[in-house]
């Protein structure tokens, strides 16, 4: 096997991430720019441009966004490329009648249903956070738990000292998971009463109490034996 150097790539991404992440992830910008340039010579309708943007352009950075949190500068540049192409007329620059944020709304709300790259990026990274939360006994779960949150779960984890770029990226999805994740109560023997989101309330997902008897108490201890 040939030894890979620092300039090698895997599935379109650099194998080595340096401090200037925007320069490395600039490969995504170049790839999207070349793809959009190849479309400008085509006389496509509005529907044709919509299909190309949704199916091809927005799918180009999907793999990178599932691993890394793209810098805001990179997202802004990709958004700018798609915006210019959407408002172009037969290859010529057109007038941008709406900002991209409005175009990202669904069609029932007056938008075009395009993806917000930042939100889509966080949702893809949230899948990894969910894996670390649910499958803590997996190999990657045990590695990250030992390194970053050995005494708690992913929801209570902190960024820590000298974190890797991937951990920084996954950690950004923690707030997203806190807002939507809930522990499903079965026997209640593995869920702590405090500091665990298991209530169905939208305003408060955790039990708030300073009673010393609830420290390290499980939900099963709140249940009446023989009933639910």
């Amino acid at each position: 096997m040939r030894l890979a150097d620092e300039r090698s790539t895997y599935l379109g991404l650099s194998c080595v991430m340096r401090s200037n992440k925007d320069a490395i992830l600039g490969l995504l910008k170049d790839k999207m720019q070349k793809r959009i340039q190849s479309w400008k010579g085509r006389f496509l309708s509005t529907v044709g441009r919509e299909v190309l943007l949704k199916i091809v352009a927005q799918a180009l950075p999907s793999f990178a966004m599932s691993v890394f949190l793209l810098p805001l500068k990179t997202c802004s540049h990709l958004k700018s490329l798609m915006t210019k192409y959407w408002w172009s007329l037969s290859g010529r620059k057109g007038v941008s009648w709406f900002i991209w944020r409005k175009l990202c709304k669904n069609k029932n709300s007056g938008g075009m249903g395009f993806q917000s790259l930042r939100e889509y990026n966080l949702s893809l990274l949230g899948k990894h956070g969910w894996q670390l939360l649910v499958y803590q006994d997996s190999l990657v779960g045990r590695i990250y738990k030992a390194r970053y949150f050995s005494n708690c779960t992913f929801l209570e984890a902190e960024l820590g000292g000298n974190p890797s770029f991937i951990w920084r990226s996954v950690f950004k999805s923690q707030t997203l998971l806190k807002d939507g994740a809930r522990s499903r109560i079965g026997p209640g023997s593995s869920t702590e009463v405090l500091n665990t989101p298991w209530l169905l309330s939208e305003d408060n997902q955790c039990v708030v109490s300073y009673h010393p008897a609830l420290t390290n108490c499980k939900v099963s201890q709140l249940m009446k034996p023989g009933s639910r």
Side-chain angles (χ1 to χ4, degrees):
M1 297 178 64
R2 183 173 59 88
L3 184 64
D5 56 21
E6 294 184 354
R7 294 173 296 175
S8 61
T9 60
Y10 176 70
L11 295 180
L13 289 181
S14 176
C15 294
V16 180
M17 301 299 291
R18 295 300 184 187
S19 57
N20 190 358
K21 308 298 188 304
D22 188 65
I24 297 175
L25 294 174
L27 295 172
L28 300 175
K29 297 185 289 186
D30 296 338
K31 186 182 297 185
M32 181 175 289
Q33 190 167 12
K34 290 179 181 178
R35 186 61 61 89
I36 291 180
Q37 284 288 346
S38 66
W39 299 339
K40 288 187 176 181
R42 304 180 184 180
F43 294 93
L44 297 173
S45 64
T46 303
V47 177
R49 293 201 299 272
E50 177 188 353
V51 171
L52 286 177
L53 286 177
K54 289 183 176 179
I55 304 300
V56 181
Q58 294 188 151
L60 286 176
S62 294
F63 177 71
M65 289 192 297
S66 66
V67 182
F68 305 118
L69 181 67
L70 301 188
L72 291 175
K73 185 177 179 181
T74 302
C75 291
S76 178
H77 192 92
L78 296 178
K79 178 184 66 177
S80 177
L81 290 174
M82 292 187 288
T83 302
K84 290 179 181 178
Y85 177 71
W86 172 249
W87 295 111
S88 63
L89 299 172
S90 301
R92 300 190 303 273
K93 183 179 179 180
V95 179
S96 298
W97 296 103
F98 293 100
I99 60 177
W100 186 256
R101 186 175 66 254
K102 290 187 177 181
L103 295 178
C104 289
K105 294 181 179 179
N106 59 56
K107 293 188 176 181
N108 293 331
S109 302
M112 290 301 302
F114 293 126
Q115 292 174 351
S116 171
L117 293 181
R118 186 68 173 184
E119 294 178 0
Y120 185 50
N121 195 177
L122 288 174
S123 67
L124 291 175
L125 294 172
K127 292 184 177 181
H128 295 298
W130 177 259
Q131 297 289 327
L132 295 177
L133 182 63
V134 178
Y135 302 107
Q136 298 185 29
D137 294 332
S138 63
L139 178 59
V140 67
R142 283 182 283 142
I143 292 174
Y144 273 85
K145 185 173 179 63
R147 174 67 176 83
Y148 297 107
F149 50 96
S150 58
N151 298 321
C152 59
T153 65
F154 175 73
L155 296 180
E156 291 86 38
E158 297 181 357
L159 186 60
N162 194 24
S164 67
F165 184 34
I166 294 181
W167 171 245
R168 283 181 180 272
S169 301
V170 176
F171 183 78
K172 283 289 185 179
S173 68
Q174 187 189 63
T175 304
L176 181 67
L177 288 176
K178 282 183 177 179
D179 293 339
R182 299 291 187 278
S183 293
R184 178 178 295 174
I185 301 301
S189 58
S190 61
T191 304
E192 294 191 0
V193 175
L194 303 178
N195 303 322
T196 303
W198 60 279
L199 302 180
L200 296 180
S201 172
E202 293 294 334
D203 300 326
N204 188 16
Q205 301 90 10
C206 301
V207 174
V208 179
S209 176
Y210 298 99
H211 198 289
L214 292 178
T215 303
N216 298 325
C217 178
K218 305 296 184 182
V219 177
S220 58
Q221 296 175 244
L222 305 179
M223 296 180 179
K224 184 179 179 180
S227 66
R228 295 181 67 88

